[in-house]
Protein backbone atom coordinates (compact mmCIF):
# COMPACT_ATOMS: atom_id res chain seq x y z
CA UNK A 1 0.00 0.00 0.00
CA UNK A 2 1.24 3.48 -0.75
CA UNK A 3 2.18 6.20 1.66
CA UNK A 4 0.21 9.27 0.64
CA UNK A 5 1.15 12.83 1.55
CA UNK A 6 -1.62 15.42 1.76
CA UNK A 7 0.00 18.84 1.55
CA UNK A 8 -0.82 22.44 0.69
CA UNK A 9 0.06 23.96 -2.69
CA UNK A 10 -0.33 27.55 -1.50
CA UNK A 11 -0.25 29.61 1.70
CA UNK A 12 -2.17 27.15 3.88
CA UNK A 13 -5.93 26.79 4.56
CA UNK A 14 -6.40 25.00 1.24
CA UNK A 15 -8.75 22.43 2.79
CA UNK A 16 -6.15 19.76 3.66
CA UNK A 17 -8.09 18.77 6.80
CA UNK A 18 -11.15 17.88 4.79
CA UNK A 19 -9.16 15.92 2.21
CA UNK A 20 -7.17 14.07 4.92
CA UNK A 21 -10.34 13.24 6.84
CA UNK A 22 -11.92 11.92 3.62
CA UNK A 23 -8.89 9.81 2.66
CA UNK A 24 -8.42 8.66 6.27
CA UNK A 25 -11.54 6.51 5.83
CA UNK A 26 -9.37 4.03 3.93
CA UNK A 27 -6.12 4.57 5.86
CA UNK A 28 -4.70 2.69 8.81
CA UNK A 29 -2.56 5.56 10.06
CA UNK A 30 -2.56 9.36 9.76
CA UNK A 31 0.62 11.23 10.73
CA UNK A 32 1.37 14.88 11.46
CA UNK A 33 5.02 15.51 10.58
CA UNK A 34 5.71 19.23 11.19
CA UNK A 35 4.35 22.43 12.72
CA UNK A 36 2.35 22.72 15.90
CA UNK A 37 -0.98 24.12 17.00
CA UNK A 38 -0.46 27.33 15.06
CA UNK A 39 -2.82 26.60 12.16
CA UNK A 40 -6.19 24.93 12.04
CA UNK A 41 -7.79 22.23 9.95
CA UNK A 42 -11.55 22.17 9.61
CA UNK A 43 -13.39 18.87 9.48
CA UNK A 44 -17.15 18.65 9.04
CA UNK A 45 -18.92 15.31 9.41
CA UNK A 46 -22.11 13.84 10.90
CA UNK A 47 -20.91 14.75 14.44
CA UNK A 48 -20.48 18.43 13.58
CA UNK A 49 -17.66 20.83 12.81
CA UNK A 50 -14.22 20.34 14.33
CA UNK A 51 -11.30 22.73 14.25
CA UNK A 52 -8.14 20.71 14.77
CA UNK A 53 -4.79 22.35 15.19
CA UNK A 54 -2.48 19.73 16.70
CA UNK A 55 -4.30 16.43 16.37
CA UNK A 56 -3.99 14.63 13.03
CA UNK A 57 -7.07 14.88 10.81
CA UNK A 58 -7.82 11.15 11.06
CA UNK A 59 -9.14 11.46 14.64
CA UNK A 60 -12.77 11.33 13.52
CA UNK A 61 -12.23 7.91 11.91
CA UNK A 62 -12.63 5.07 14.42
CA UNK A 63 -9.93 2.48 13.97
CA UNK A 64 -7.42 4.85 12.40
CA UNK A 65 -4.21 5.38 14.38
CA UNK A 66 -3.20 9.04 14.61
CA UNK A 67 0.48 9.77 15.07
CA UNK A 68 2.29 12.94 16.14
CA UNK A 69 5.71 12.49 14.58
CA UNK A 70 9.15 13.65 15.79
CA UNK A 71 9.03 16.72 13.52
CA UNK A 72 6.02 18.24 15.31
CA UNK A 73 6.11 21.13 17.79
CA UNK A 74 4.19 19.38 20.55
CA UNK A 75 2.23 21.30 23.19
CA UNK A 76 0.73 18.88 25.74
CA UNK A 77 -1.89 21.39 26.97
CA UNK A 78 -3.23 21.96 23.45
CA UNK A 79 -3.14 18.22 22.77
CA UNK A 80 -5.39 17.46 25.75
CA UNK A 81 -7.68 20.45 25.19
CA UNK A 82 -8.38 19.24 21.65
CA UNK A 83 -8.75 15.64 22.69
CA UNK A 84 -11.18 16.50 25.52
CA UNK A 85 -13.21 18.64 23.16
CA UNK A 86 -13.56 15.78 20.66
CA UNK A 87 -14.68 13.35 23.33
CA UNK A 88 -17.15 15.82 24.86
CA UNK A 89 -18.69 16.19 21.42
CA UNK A 90 -19.29 12.50 20.95
CA UNK A 91 -16.25 11.38 18.95
CA UNK A 92 -15.01 8.01 20.27
CA UNK A 93 -11.60 8.42 21.96
CA UNK A 94 -9.18 8.29 19.02
CA UNK A 95 -6.13 6.04 18.89
CA UNK A 96 -3.30 8.51 19.40
CA UNK A 97 0.47 8.06 19.54
CA UNK A 98 3.01 10.75 20.32
CA UNK A 99 6.64 10.37 19.33
CA UNK A 100 9.03 10.20 22.27
CA UNK A 101 11.40 12.23 20.06
CA UNK A 102 8.95 15.05 19.36
CA UNK A 103 9.97 18.22 21.16
CA UNK A 104 7.93 20.31 23.56
CA UNK A 105 6.57 23.78 23.02
CA UNK A 106 7.25 25.29 26.43
CA UNK A 107 5.63 28.30 28.12
CA UNK A 108 8.77 30.35 27.40
CA UNK A 109 8.50 29.66 23.67
CA UNK A 110 5.09 31.31 23.70
CA UNK A 111 6.37 34.13 25.89
CA UNK A 112 9.28 34.87 23.54
CA UNK A 113 7.01 34.68 20.50
CA UNK A 114 4.76 37.37 21.97
CA UNK A 115 7.61 39.55 23.25
CA UNK A 116 9.43 39.47 19.94
CA UNK A 117 6.35 40.40 17.90
CA UNK A 118 5.75 43.27 20.32
CA UNK A 119 9.36 44.41 19.99
CA UNK A 120 9.18 44.28 16.17
CA UNK A 121 6.05 46.46 16.15
CA UNK A 122 5.07 47.23 12.56
CA UNK A 123 7.86 44.94 11.27
CA UNK A 124 6.27 41.90 12.92
CA UNK A 125 5.66 38.68 10.95
CA UNK A 126 2.07 38.19 12.05
CA UNK A 127 2.91 35.24 14.30
CA UNK A 128 0.02 33.30 15.79
CA UNK A 129 2.03 33.49 19.05
CA UNK A 130 1.89 29.75 19.56
CA UNK A 131 5.64 29.69 20.18
CA UNK A 132 6.54 28.03 16.88
CA UNK A 133 9.48 30.19 15.72
CA UNK A 134 11.20 30.18 19.17
CA UNK A 135 10.51 26.43 19.38
CA UNK A 136 12.24 25.59 16.08
CA UNK A 137 15.03 28.08 16.84
CA UNK A 138 15.73 26.17 20.06
CA UNK A 139 15.51 22.84 18.26
CA UNK A 140 18.24 23.83 15.84
CA UNK A 141 20.26 25.51 18.59
CA UNK A 142 20.08 22.09 20.29
CA UNK A 143 18.28 23.62 23.25
CA UNK A 144 15.01 21.74 22.77
CA UNK A 145 13.34 19.39 25.22
CA UNK A 146 12.12 16.04 23.92
CA UNK A 147 8.87 14.44 25.05
CA UNK A 148 10.94 11.57 26.49
CA UNK A 149 12.67 14.08 28.82
CA UNK A 150 9.36 14.50 30.66
CA UNK A 151 9.90 11.05 32.15
CA UNK A 152 13.36 11.78 33.53
CA UNK A 153 13.03 14.73 35.91
CA UNK A 154 16.76 15.26 36.49
CA UNK A 155 17.44 15.39 32.81
CA UNK A 156 14.45 17.67 32.23
CA UNK A 157 15.69 20.16 34.79
CA UNK A 158 19.21 20.12 33.36
CA UNK A 159 17.88 20.69 29.82
CA UNK A 160 15.74 23.61 31.01
CA UNK A 161 18.61 25.17 32.94
CA UNK A 162 20.77 25.10 29.82
CA UNK A 163 17.97 26.47 27.64
CA UNK A 164 17.23 29.31 30.04
CA UNK A 165 20.80 30.59 30.50
CA UNK A 166 20.84 32.82 27.44
CA UNK A 167 17.09 33.38 27.49
CA UNK A 168 17.23 34.98 30.91
CA UNK A 169 19.81 37.47 29.67
CA UNK A 170 17.50 38.36 26.78
CA UNK A 171 14.49 38.59 29.06
CA UNK A 172 16.26 40.99 31.37
CA UNK A 173 18.31 43.06 28.96
CA UNK A 174 16.30 43.09 25.72
CA UNK A 175 12.71 42.80 26.88
CA UNK A 176 13.01 44.26 30.39
CA UNK A 177 11.21 41.31 32.01
CA UNK A 178 11.98 39.13 34.99
CA UNK A 179 13.99 35.95 34.64
CA UNK A 180 12.48 32.46 34.49
CA UNK A 181 13.32 29.70 36.88
CA UNK A 182 14.00 26.23 35.44
CA UNK A 183 12.38 24.44 38.39
CA UNK A 184 9.07 26.25 38.01
CA UNK A 185 9.05 25.69 34.21
CA UNK A 186 9.74 21.99 34.89
CA UNK A 187 6.83 21.91 37.33
CA UNK A 188 4.48 23.34 34.69
CA UNK A 189 5.67 20.85 32.06
CA UNK A 190 5.35 17.91 34.42
CA UNK A 191 1.69 18.64 35.12
CA UNK A 192 0.61 16.78 31.97
CA UNK A 193 3.34 14.11 32.01
CA UNK A 194 1.42 11.30 33.73
CA UNK A 195 -1.60 11.75 31.52
CA UNK A 196 0.60 11.84 28.45
CA UNK A 197 2.58 8.70 29.24
CA UNK A 198 0.21 6.12 27.70
CA UNK A 199 0.28 7.96 24.36
CA UNK A 200 4.06 8.18 24.09
CA UNK A 201 6.07 5.63 22.11
CA UNK A 202 8.71 5.20 19.45
CA UNK A 203 6.46 6.18 16.56
CA UNK A 204 9.28 5.68 14.05
CA UNK A 205 9.37 1.93 14.82
CA UNK A 206 5.59 1.88 14.68
CA UNK A 207 5.46 3.56 11.27
CA UNK A 208 8.32 1.61 9.75
CA UNK A 209 6.74 -1.71 10.76
CA UNK A 210 3.31 -0.63 9.52
CA UNK A 211 4.85 0.44 6.22
CA UNK A 212 6.67 -2.89 5.87
CA UNK A 213 3.41 -4.73 6.54
CA UNK A 214 1.89 -2.78 3.66
CA UNK A 215 -0.53 -0.74 5.76
CA UNK A 216 -1.98 2.41 4.29
CA UNK A 217 -0.41 5.57 5.75
CA UNK A 218 -1.32 9.22 5.25
CA UNK A 219 1.15 11.95 6.15
CA UNK A 220 -0.52 15.30 6.64
CA UNK A 221 1.19 18.64 6.13
CA UNK A 222 0.37 21.88 7.86
CA UNK A 223 0.24 25.24 6.04
CA UNK A 224 1.40 25.18 2.41
CA UNK A 225 4.35 25.14 0.01
CA UNK A 226 4.68 28.92 -0.02
CA UNK A 227 5.27 28.93 3.74
CA UNK A 228 8.21 26.57 3.44
CA UNK A 229 11.38 28.18 4.88
CA UNK A 230 13.52 27.15 1.88
CA UNK A 231 11.13 27.35 -1.05
CA UNK A 232 8.45 29.75 0.19
CA UNK A 233 8.03 33.49 0.68
CA UNK A 234 10.78 33.81 3.28
CA UNK A 235 10.77 35.51 5.79
CA UNK A 236 6.95 35.31 5.71
CA UNK A 237 7.30 31.57 5.98
CA UNK A 238 6.79 29.21 8.85
CA UNK A 239 9.66 27.63 10.77
CA UNK A 240 9.46 24.02 9.60
CA UNK A 241 9.31 22.52 6.13
CA UNK A 242 5.78 22.20 4.81
CA UNK A 243 6.85 20.00 1.91
CA UNK A 244 6.06 16.36 1.21
CA UNK A 245 9.80 15.86 0.85
CA UNK A 246 10.18 16.61 4.54
CA UNK A 247 7.36 14.25 5.53
CA UNK A 248 9.65 11.24 5.54
CA UNK A 249 11.97 13.06 7.97
CA UNK A 250 9.31 14.57 10.21
CA UNK A 251 7.32 11.34 10.34
CA UNK A 252 10.15 8.79 10.28
CA UNK A 253 9.64 6.91 7.01
CA UNK A 254 12.03 6.13 4.15
CA UNK A 255 12.02 8.91 1.50
CA UNK A 256 11.04 6.39 -1.19
CA UNK A 257 8.03 5.24 0.85
CA UNK A 258 5.96 8.26 -0.17
CA UNK A 259 4.74 7.51 -3.64
CA UNK A 260 1.64 9.66 -3.89
CA UNK A 261 1.55 13.38 -3.16
CA UNK A 262 -1.86 15.05 -3.10
CA UNK A 263 -1.43 18.82 -3.30
CA UNK A 264 -4.51 20.65 -2.11
CA UNK A 265 -5.46 24.01 -3.58
CA UNK A 266 -8.56 26.17 -3.49
CA UNK A 267 -10.37 27.26 -6.65
CA UNK A 268 -9.41 30.82 -5.58
CA UNK A 269 -6.63 32.05 -3.27
CA UNK A 270 -6.67 32.77 0.44
CA UNK A 271 -3.88 33.66 2.79
CA UNK A 272 -3.69 34.35 6.51
CA UNK A 273 -1.02 36.71 7.75
CA UNK A 274 1.50 38.96 6.11
CA UNK A 275 3.69 38.57 3.02
CA UNK A 276 3.39 39.14 -0.72
CA UNK A 277 0.13 37.93 -2.26
CA UNK A 278 -0.03 38.86 -5.93
CA UNK A 279 -3.70 38.19 -6.72
CA UNK A 280 -5.01 39.82 -3.53
CA UNK A 281 -8.37 41.57 -3.79
CA UNK A 282 -9.43 44.57 -1.75
CA UNK A 283 -12.63 46.41 -0.94
CA UNK A 284 -16.09 45.14 -1.86
CA UNK A 285 -14.81 42.46 -4.28
CA UNK A 286 -12.67 40.93 -1.50
CA UNK A 287 -15.46 41.18 1.07
CA UNK A 288 -17.85 39.33 -1.24
CA UNK A 289 -15.45 36.44 -1.82
CA UNK A 290 -14.37 36.34 1.85
CA UNK A 291 -17.99 36.15 2.99
CA UNK A 292 -18.76 33.25 0.63
CA UNK A 293 -15.54 31.28 1.04
CA UNK A 294 -14.91 28.16 3.14
CA UNK A 295 -17.64 26.84 5.40
CA UNK A 296 -18.39 30.09 7.20
CA UNK A 297 -16.45 32.78 5.40
CA UNK A 298 -12.69 33.07 5.14
CA UNK A 299 -11.59 33.59 8.75
CA UNK A 300 -8.62 31.85 10.37
CA UNK A 301 -9.44 28.70 12.37
CA UNK A 302 -6.90 29.49 15.10
CA UNK A 303 -6.59 33.25 14.84
CA UNK A 304 -10.13 34.18 13.63
CA UNK A 305 -8.33 36.80 11.54
CA UNK A 306 -10.06 37.65 8.24
CA UNK A 307 -8.14 35.80 5.53
CA UNK A 308 -6.82 37.78 2.62
CA UNK A 309 -8.48 36.53 -0.56
CA UNK A 310 -7.75 36.71 -4.28
CA UNK A 311 -8.27 35.00 -7.60
CA UNK A 312 -6.74 31.62 -8.37
CA UNK A 313 -3.01 32.07 -8.88
CA UNK A 314 -1.69 29.57 -11.42
CA UNK A 315 1.88 30.88 -11.11
CA UNK A 316 2.01 30.30 -7.35
CA UNK A 317 0.07 27.04 -7.54
CA UNK A 318 2.14 25.53 -10.37
CA UNK A 319 5.24 26.37 -8.33
CA UNK A 320 3.65 25.04 -5.12
CA UNK A 321 2.76 21.76 -6.85
CA UNK A 322 6.27 21.52 -8.29
CA UNK A 323 8.08 21.95 -4.96
CA UNK A 324 5.63 19.57 -3.32
CA UNK A 325 6.32 17.00 -6.05
CA UNK A 326 2.55 16.71 -6.51
CA UNK A 327 1.37 13.60 -8.32
CA UNK A 328 -2.24 14.80 -8.17
CA UNK A 329 -4.28 17.78 -7.04
CA UNK A 330 -7.38 18.10 -4.90
CA UNK A 331 -9.24 21.26 -5.86
CA UNK A 332 -11.46 22.56 -3.06
CA UNK A 333 -14.07 25.29 -2.68
CA UNK A 334 -15.16 25.20 -6.32
CA UNK A 335 -18.74 25.80 -5.15
CA UNK A 336 -17.74 29.20 -3.71
CA UNK A 337 -17.28 30.75 -7.17
CA UNK A 338 -20.87 30.08 -8.28
CA UNK A 339 -21.88 33.72 -7.78
CA UNK A 340 -19.63 35.18 -10.47
CA UNK A 341 -20.50 36.04 -14.09
CA UNK A 342 -16.85 35.89 -15.02
CA UNK A 343 -14.00 34.34 -13.07
CA UNK A 344 -10.57 35.91 -13.36
CA UNK A 345 -7.53 33.72 -12.85
CA UNK A 346 -3.90 34.70 -12.81
CA UNK A 347 -1.84 33.04 -15.55
CA UNK A 348 1.42 35.02 -15.34
CA UNK A 349 3.09 37.76 -13.30
CA UNK A 350 4.26 41.09 -14.60
CA UNK A 351 7.50 41.84 -12.75
CA UNK A 352 10.22 44.49 -13.01
CA UNK A 353 12.16 42.17 -15.29
CA UNK A 354 9.25 41.25 -17.55
CA UNK A 355 6.31 38.86 -17.73
CA UNK A 356 6.88 35.43 -16.24
CA UNK A 357 5.17 32.17 -15.46
CA UNK A 358 7.83 31.29 -12.88
CA UNK A 359 7.36 32.14 -9.22
CA UNK A 360 9.96 34.82 -8.44
CA UNK A 361 11.96 35.53 -5.28
CA UNK A 362 10.40 37.81 -2.69
CA UNK A 363 12.20 40.96 -3.80
CA UNK A 364 10.38 40.74 -7.16
CA UNK A 365 7.21 39.24 -5.77
CA UNK A 366 6.46 42.33 -3.73
CA UNK A 367 5.92 44.46 -6.83
CA UNK A 368 4.61 41.75 -9.19
CA UNK A 369 1.22 42.33 -10.81
CA UNK A 370 -1.10 39.54 -11.92
CA UNK A 371 -1.82 38.93 -15.60
CA UNK A 372 -5.45 37.85 -15.50
CA UNK A 373 -7.49 35.76 -17.87
CA UNK A 374 -11.29 35.56 -17.53
CA UNK A 375 -13.38 32.43 -17.73
CA UNK A 376 -17.20 32.38 -17.91
CA UNK A 377 -18.89 31.67 -14.56
CA UNK A 378 -21.59 29.01 -14.04
CA UNK A 379 -23.88 31.03 -11.76
CA UNK A 380 -25.44 28.08 -10.04
CA UNK A 381 -25.07 25.97 -6.89
CA UNK A 382 -22.94 22.86 -7.44
CA UNK A 383 -22.66 21.47 -3.88
CA UNK A 384 -24.91 18.50 -4.69
CA UNK A 385 -22.90 17.46 -7.75
CA UNK A 386 -21.01 14.18 -7.29
CA UNK A 387 -19.37 13.65 -10.67
CA UNK A 388 -17.33 15.73 -13.05
CA UNK A 389 -19.66 15.27 -16.00
CA UNK A 390 -22.60 16.61 -13.94
CA UNK A 391 -20.81 19.91 -13.32
CA UNK A 392 -21.97 22.85 -15.47
CA UNK A 393 -19.87 23.08 -18.63
CA UNK A 394 -18.29 26.34 -17.46
CA UNK A 395 -17.19 24.75 -14.17
CA UNK A 396 -15.68 21.81 -16.07
CA UNK A 397 -13.83 24.26 -18.32
CA UNK A 398 -12.52 26.15 -15.27
CA UNK A 399 -11.16 22.95 -13.68
CA UNK A 400 -9.59 21.83 -16.97
CA UNK A 401 -7.94 25.23 -17.45
CA UNK A 402 -6.45 25.05 -13.95
CA UNK A 403 -5.18 21.56 -14.67
CA UNK A 404 -3.59 22.75 -17.90
CA UNK A 405 -1.92 25.74 -16.21
CA UNK A 406 -0.47 23.84 -13.26
CA UNK A 407 0.43 20.70 -15.18
CA UNK A 408 -0.81 18.24 -12.55
CA UNK A 409 -4.01 16.16 -12.85
CA UNK A 410 -6.93 17.38 -10.73
CA UNK A 411 -8.10 14.05 -9.31
CA UNK A 412 -10.49 15.31 -6.67
CA UNK A 413 -12.94 18.19 -6.74
CA UNK A 414 -14.52 19.41 -3.54
CA UNK A 415 -17.83 21.25 -3.84
CA UNK A 416 -18.67 21.92 -0.18
CA UNK A 417 -17.13 21.72 3.28
CA UNK A 418 -18.80 18.46 4.33
CA UNK A 419 -16.86 15.20 4.10
CA UNK A 420 -19.23 13.87 1.40
CA UNK A 421 -19.22 16.95 -0.81
CA UNK A 422 -16.50 15.73 -3.11
CA UNK A 423 -15.94 13.51 -6.11
CA UNK A 424 -13.09 11.85 -7.91
CA UNK A 425 -12.24 12.26 -11.55
P1 LIG B 1 -6.57 23.41 6.05
O1 LIG B 1 -5.77 24.10 7.11
O2 LIG B 1 -5.83 23.27 4.76
O3 LIG B 1 -7.14 22.11 6.52
O4 LIG B 1 -7.80 24.36 5.70
P2 LIG B 1 -8.80 25.10 6.71
O5 LIG B 1 -9.67 24.12 7.36
O6 LIG B 1 -8.04 26.06 7.54
O7 LIG B 1 -9.61 25.99 5.67
C1 LIG B 1 -10.36 25.45 4.64
C2 LIG B 1 -11.76 26.04 4.73
O8 LIG B 1 -12.49 25.65 3.58
C3 LIG B 1 -12.56 25.52 5.90
O9 LIG B 1 -13.47 26.52 6.29
C4 LIG B 1 -13.29 24.31 5.30
O10 LIG B 1 -14.46 23.96 6.03
C5 LIG B 1 -13.62 24.85 3.96
N1 LIG B 1 -13.78 23.91 2.87
C6 LIG B 1 -13.01 22.84 2.51
N2 LIG B 1 -13.42 22.34 1.33
C7 LIG B 1 -14.46 23.13 0.93
C8 LIG B 1 -15.28 23.16 -0.24
O11 LIG B 1 -15.12 22.39 -1.18
N3 LIG B 1 -16.25 24.14 -0.29
C9 LIG B 1 -16.45 25.03 0.71
N4 LIG B 1 -17.41 25.94 0.57
N5 LIG B 1 -15.67 25.04 1.82
C10 LIG B 1 -14.70 24.12 1.90
Amino acid sequence: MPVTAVVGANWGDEGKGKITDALAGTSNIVVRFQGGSNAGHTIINEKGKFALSLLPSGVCRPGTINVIGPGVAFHPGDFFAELDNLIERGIPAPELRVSDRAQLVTPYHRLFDALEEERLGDRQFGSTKKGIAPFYADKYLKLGVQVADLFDERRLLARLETALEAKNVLLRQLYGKSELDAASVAEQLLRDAERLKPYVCDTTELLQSAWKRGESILVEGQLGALRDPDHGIYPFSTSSSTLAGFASVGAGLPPYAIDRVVAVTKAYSSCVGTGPFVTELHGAEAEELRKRGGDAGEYGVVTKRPRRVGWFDAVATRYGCMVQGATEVALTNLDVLGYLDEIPLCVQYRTESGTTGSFPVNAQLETAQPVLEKMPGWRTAISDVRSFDKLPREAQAYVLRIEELIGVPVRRVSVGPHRDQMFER
Side-chain angles (χ1 to χ4, degrees):
M1 288 291 261
V3 178
T4 300
V6 179
V7 286
N10 303 111
W11 300 263
D13 310 324
E14 297 94 346
K16 298 175 296 296
K18 175 187 162 161
I19 302 297
T20 307
D21 168 62
L23 297 180
T26 52
S27 304
N28 302 103
I29 304 181
V30 178
V31 194
R32 274 284 305 271
F33 62 88
Q34 46 86 219
S37 39
N38 51 322
H41 296 307
T42 314
I43 288 178
I44 302 178
N45 55 35
E46 61 290 349
K47 293 272 172 34
K49 173 173 164 174
F50 300 92
L52 304 174
S53 58
L54 186 57
L55 298 185
S57 299
V59 286
C60 292
R61 295 287 195 181
T64 301
I65 297 178
N66 288 272
V67 172
I68 304 233
V72 171
F74 182 71
H75 188 281
D78 286 357
F79 174 81
F80 285 122
E82 262 180 54
L83 179 58
D84 292 344
N85 178 263
L86 283 185
I87 293 167
E88 267 164 35
R89 295 184 54 200
I91 298 290
E95 289 273 345
L96 283 158
R97 308 278 187 277
V98 178
S99 166
D100 48 7
R101 289 189 173 85
Q103 296 192 12
L104 296 168
V105 178
T106 65
Y108 53 77
H109 290 135
R110 293 211 163 155
L111 174 66
F112 274 84
D113 204 352
L115 290 174
E116 186 56 11
E117 286 281 281
E118 194 183 311
R119 187 186 73 81
L120 286 169
D122 58 9
R123 290 173 296 142
Q124 64 179 240
F125 293 105
S127 164
T128 54
K129 304 196 180 72
K130 296 287 181 184
I132 301 303
F135 166 91
Y136 280 106
D138 268 4
K139 181 173 191 168
Y140 294 108
L141 280 168
K142 297 173 286 266
L143 292 175
V145 180
Q146 290 187 316
V147 166
D149 298 337
L150 284 176
F151 309 106
D152 181 341
E153 282 187 38
R154 270 195 19 219
R155 185 179 157 83
L156 176 69
L157 196 60
R159 295 292 302 152
L160 291 171
E161 276 164 358
T162 308
L164 287 174
E165 269 171 30
K167 284 183 179 44
N168 276 333
V169 178
L170 282 177
L171 274 177
R172 212 177 42 239
Q173 312 254 358
L174 181 64
Y175 300 115
K177 302 284 174 194
S178 26
E179 294 190 5
L180 294 172
D181 164 51
S184 62
V185 175
E187 200 184 300
Q188 288 177 62
L189 291 174
L190 286 167
R191 263 178 224 152
D192 289 311
E194 273 316 299
R195 191 175 172 201
L196 189 62
K197 209 169 191 172
Y199 297 97
V200 176
C201 68
D202 182 342
T203 57
T204 306
E205 286 284 359
L206 179 147
L207 287 177
Q208 295 266 344
S209 331
W211 173 67
K212 282 183 191 145
R213 283 196 302 273
E215 290 188 16
S216 161
I217 300 172
L218 270 187
V219 290
E220 174 190 20
Q222 182 214 34
L223 296 165
L226 305 176
R227 299 288 186 195
D228 183 75
D230 290 302
H231 296 274
I233 51 172
Y234 189 87
F236 302 102
S237 45
T238 191
S239 307
S240 62
S241 177
T242 54
L243 301 184
F246 182 75
S248 63
V249 179
L253 283 162
Y256 46 83
I258 300 168
D259 51 8
R260 180 180 173 216
V261 178
V262 182
V264 186
T265 182
K266 273 181 178 148
Y268 53 92
S269 301
S270 72
C271 163
V272 171
T274 31
F277 181 23
V278 175
T279 64
E280 181 166 16
L281 292 170
H282 300 278
E285 231 181 350
E287 205 33 60
E288 185 77 37
L289 180 53
R290 182 175 301 119
K291 184 173 86 194
R292 293 170 182 274
D295 66 283
E298 289 288 358
Y299 300 92
V301 177
V302 171
T303 58
K304 314 283 180 244
R305 290 185 288 194
R307 289 181 184 147
R308 299 158 72 196
V309 291
W311 303 126
F312 183 82
D313 184 337
V315 179
T317 310
R318 189 190 70 82
Y319 175 79
C321 287
M322 178 176 76
V323 294
Q324 288 291 11
T327 56
E328 60 189 88
V329 158
L331 184 70
T332 68
N333 283 271
L334 186 65
D335 53 300
V336 171
L337 299 178
Y339 71 100
L340 291 158
D341 289 326
E342 278 188 319
I343 309 176
L345 74 175
C346 168
V347 293
Q348 284 193 308
Y349 289 170
R350 208 169 288 117
T351 69
E352 280 156 17
S353 38
T355 303
T356 179
S358 299
F359 192 69
V361 291
N362 257 15
Q364 286 186 38
L365 207 52
E366 274 155 17
T367 53
Q369 294 297 317
V371 177
L372 297 173
E373 171 181 293
K374 285 187 177 164
M375 304 272 303
W378 46 92
R379 295 222 46 117
T380 180
I382 56 169
S383 286
D384 293 331
V385 174
R386 292 293 176 273
S387 70
F388 188 70
D389 58 352
K390 293 277 170 10
L391 277 180
R393 233 176 345 116
E394 295 83 355
Q396 290 187 18
Y398 185 71
V399 174
L400 293 175
R401 181 66 178 135
I402 285 179
E403 186 174 78
E404 178 181 46
L405 287 165
I406 61 180
V408 181
V410 176
R411 281 271 143 72
R412 272 188 180 68
V413 179
S414 171
V415 290
H418 196 276
R419 184 189 273 173
D420 303 328
Q421 290 175 312
M422 183 157 66
F423 55 84
E424 264 185 74
R425 262 181 81 213

